[in-house]
Amino acid sequence: MLQVKAVKRWDKRIKDKEVTVGILGLGYVGLPLAREFAGAGIKVVGFDVDEVKVQALNAGRSIIKGVLDSEIRTLLKKGLFKATLQMGLLKRVDAILICVPTPLTKYREPDMQFVVSSCQVIAKHLRKGQLVVLESTSYPGTTREVMVPILEQSGLKAGQDFHVAYSPEREDPGNKEYRTRSIPKIVGGLTSKCLKRACALYEAVIVEVVPVSSCEAAEAAKIVENVYRCVNIAMVNELKILFDRMGIDIWEVIRAASTKPFGYQPFYPGPGLGGHCIPIDPFYLTWKARQYNLPTRFIELAGEINTQMPHYVVSKTMEALNQRGKSLKGSKILILGLAYKKDVDDVRESPSIELIELLRDKGAKVDYNDPYIRQTHKQREHNLRMRSKSLSVKMLSEYDAVLISTDHSSYDYDWIVRNSKLVIDTRNATAQVRSGGRKIVKA
Ligand SMILES: NC(=O)c1ccc[n+]([C@@H]2O[C@H](COP(=O)([O-])OP(=O)(O)OC[C@H]3O[C@@H](n4cnc5c(N)ncnc54)[C@H](O)[C@@H]3O)[C@@H](O)[C@H]2O)c1
């Protein structure tokens, strides 16, 4: 009875917008999520360890392309959002949503350092009645096996003194049709009460909440979504190479196959996989599967094919230059698009970076242009030290080849083809270009 009353009280506090939500990690996932809660009138405290980000946000400057400065400023002004480095404030919030990175180590194993350190900090400040939800993508078992034991170092018991859930983030940066609020939210709780609390919170801001029976089911659902994409993209990437040899255009084939009104969903080939999710998350499952003595063959095979794609693009570039009497060594190549996909400013795992390195290794002189990435920054495995070159008729004509790696919508592809000597198109971005077809090589 007491429990029922507590749940009702929680629901009422959410309805009355009396709860405060803490979001740990203000990146591509955490910031849009903060915008949803704060935009709905629920107070948000955003926690991050990056001082530059926190200062920028508190000064009303967004740190990602998908969230506007004006939106941040409005929320700051209304007192509905603030960013902080002070983890002590965690004890003042009612729910803590963890949105920190989950990358791979250099041995391609789950790198849990950010999840672990977040949970350690939360444990220090945890108080009775709080709800803690992990949103970062991870293998099934993470919430129960990694998160709960650390949180319980607080002396409080999960499921009794505080509530725990897993709710995967399905954010799709750059997607104009769906944003955080309109993407159904899967939720799994440690106990049924944990589930109820977490669902009630998300229902305040998300159009559809999908409860599942456990944290593990929710964790697995997210990984399945990403494995599905990774495997299907690998399949079309492999077919692209085959059809190219057969003189068939994969893009035309996909367009035709997509006319089937059922049983087929189009996936598109590209220069390789990019982003924080698809190239990484499936390997979280591969790692976990070893504990059960099972290989994840589809994932491994897809990984093998997808990681070969930049090499394929380089060999097509080499071939195209060769046909024009040029060697790749000494050639000037301009990469268009550094981001991992169109219309975003995120370069993590971007195949463009791999392309630049491969082309440079072979002696090419490489530059890039990306309207959203003015210069490169040091990453864990790369440090290109490059600045985006401004596009002009004169500069385009100076390159032996222009390689379209990311098909940003803002590019004028007619103009690019008209003014370039050779265009290597990995995205079918030039499909609508009316003239200059002989200069275009699909790769
Ligand atoms: N980017 C996407 O499109 C996307 C989509 C769905 C799911 N995800 C998943 O969401 C999670 C977050 O990804 P992201 O793209 O937002 O990452 P991100 O790198 O953009 O943001 C993570 C933020 O967490 C901060 N951080 C790191 N350690 C911290 C700590 N101990 N305390 C507080 N803040 C800390 C970082 O400074 C950074 O600002 C990952 O698990 C990712 O796989 C990402």
Side-chain angles (χ1 to χ4, degrees):
M1 193 59 195
L2 270 177
Q3 302 266 359
V4 175
K5 268 194 184 158
V7 171
K8 277 198 176 150
R9 236 185 357 254
W10 174 250
D11 290 358
K12 183 164 179 339
R13 287 187 62 215
I14 293 171
K15 206 164 148 249
D16 296 344
K17 305 193 180 355
E18 280 172 7
V19 291
T20 301
V21 173
I23 295 185
L24 212 76
L26 297 171
Y28 286 91
V29 160
L31 193 59
L33 191 64
R35 172 179 63 186
E36 287 315 331
F37 278 103
I42 292 175
K43 239 189 203 169
V44 174
V45 182
F47 297 87
D48 208 293
V49 288
D50 183 336
E51 200 175 340
V52 177
K53 265 187 195 174
V54 167
Q55 276 176 0
L57 287 168
N58 285 335
R61 289 194 310 277
S62 177
I63 41 174
I64 58 172
K65 191 172 163 280
V67 175
L68 304 174
D69 291 354
S70 57
E71 293 179 291
I72 301 288
R73 282 200 295 268
T74 306
L75 298 174
L76 286 168
K77 218 192 247 164
K78 288 185 176 168
L80 287 166
F81 173 73
K82 72 168 173 187
T84 184
L85 296 162
Q86 289 177 41
M87 300 296 163
L89 295 179
L90 280 166
K91 59 167 83 69
R92 300 227 193 125
V93 304
D94 300 288
I96 302 168
L97 314 181
I98 308 174
C99 306
V100 296
T102 44
L104 290 172
T105 66
K106 69 174 171 184
Y107 302 108
R108 304 196 70 71
E109 292 185 344
D111 180 351
M112 301 305 289
Q113 61 165 309
F114 303 101
V115 171
V116 167
S117 63
S118 307
C119 292
Q120 285 168 338
V121 169
I122 295 168
K124 274 195 205 153
H125 304 287
L126 195 65
R127 63 170 171 81
K128 276 194 174 182
Q130 278 181 318
L131 167 69
V132 188
V133 187
L134 180 63
E135 295 227 1
S136 303
T137 310
S138 191
Y139 57 82
T142 306
T143 310
R144 199 180 300 268
E145 295 160 13
V146 179
M147 187 170 145
V148 167
I150 303 175
L151 294 179
E152 288 187 337
Q153 285 168 10
S154 61
L156 299 175
K157 183 102 186 87
Q160 283 178 21
D161 301 321
F162 65 97
H163 309 279
V164 175
Y166 179 80
S167 180
E169 189 48 65
R170 297 157 121 182
E171 189 68 22
D172 183 18
N175 191 325
K176 295 201 171 69
E177 203 177 332
Y178 291 98
R179 57 184 263 178
T180 317
R181 185 189 333 146
S182 50
I183 304 170
K185 195 109 177 76
I186 297 174
V187 183
L190 196 66
T191 65
S192 61
K193 278 164 216 116
C194 295
L195 178 64
K196 275 192 190 130
R197 289 214 165 210
C199 286
L201 181 69
Y202 288 116
E203 275 162 6
V205 292
I206 310 277
V207 283
E208 187 187 349
V209 172
V210 184
V212 293
S213 66
S214 63
C215 296
E216 287 76 6
E219 290 160 335
K222 171 69 191 184
I223 295 262
V224 164
E225 290 166 16
N226 286 351
V227 169
Y228 174 72
R229 284 193 62 71
C230 169
V231 167
N232 279 288
I233 292 169
M235 185 183 72
V236 288
N237 274 335
E238 187 175 67
L239 293 178
K240 169 173 84 166
I241 299 172
L242 171 66
F243 289 161
D244 182 61
R245 279 205 195 159
M246 294 168 78
I248 301 167
D249 182 350
I250 181 83
W251 299 92
E252 186 188 356
V253 173
I254 294 172
R255 203 167 45 246
S258 302
T259 58
K260 187 176 180 183
F262 47 83
Y264 180 82
Q265 191 196 353
F267 284 87
Y268 299 98
L273 281 187
H276 190 335
C277 300
I278 316 295
I280 291 173
D281 304 342
F283 294 99
Y284 268 62
L285 189 61
T286 298
W287 178 84
K288 187 67 179 173
R290 283 190 213 125
Q291 191 183 325
Y292 295 86
N293 270 330
L294 276 175
T296 50
R297 284 174 290 174
F298 274 98
I299 296 174
E300 301 282 1
L301 179 60
E304 236 172 77
I305 295 170
N306 288 329
T307 52
Q308 279 311 304
M309 294 319 291
H311 295 267
Y312 171 74
V313 173
V314 169
S315 76
K316 288 290 287 184
T317 308
M318 213 147 42
E319 217 176 88
L321 285 166
N322 193 40
Q323 276 172 6
R324 284 155 181 82
K326 288 221 141 242
S327 68
L328 180 56
K329 187 170 176 167
S331 282
K332 280 189 79 183
I333 315 272
L334 178 70
I335 302 278
L336 285 187
L338 197 67
Y340 78 88
K341 71 169 178 176
K342 68 159 48 173
D343 303 339
V344 303
D345 57 355
D346 187 352
V347 297
R348 286 176 295 178
E349 309 292 323
S350 173
S352 303
I353 291 176
E354 171 106 24
L355 282 171
I356 291 172
E357 288 177 341
L358 289 173
L359 291 165
R360 277 178 169 178
D361 285 351
K362 296 202 180 313
K365 294 181 193 123
V366 190
D367 290 318
Y368 86 89
N369 167 273
D370 192 307
Y372 308 119
I373 300 150
R374 244 183 281 161
Q375 65 186 78
T376 62
H377 296 283
K378 192 173 181 318
Q379 292 175 282
R380 260 207 313 198
E381 288 170 26
H382 312 273
N383 194 7
L384 293 177
R385 297 170 196 276
M386 292 169 83
R387 278 187 163 274
S388 176
K389 298 275 179 192
S390 304
L391 294 183
S392 70
V393 170
K394 182 170 179 301
M395 71 83 81
L396 278 180
S397 68
E398 284 166 4
Y399 289 93
D400 298 299
V402 171
L403 198 166
I404 302 170
S405 184
T406 315
D407 51 340
H408 288 309
S409 314
S410 56
Y411 285 136
D412 179 344
Y413 293 103
D414 273 305
W415 178 81
I416 287 164
V417 172
R418 195 163 54 247
N419 295 296
S420 306
K421 290 182 193 139
L422 166 66
V423 176
I424 311 290
D425 182 1
T426 68
R427 302 279 191 177
N428 204 30
T430 56
Q432 306 303 322
V433 168
R434 286 178 298 273
S435 59
R438 284 170 59 194
K439 289 192 221 169
I440 303 169
V441 172
K442 291 197 183 162

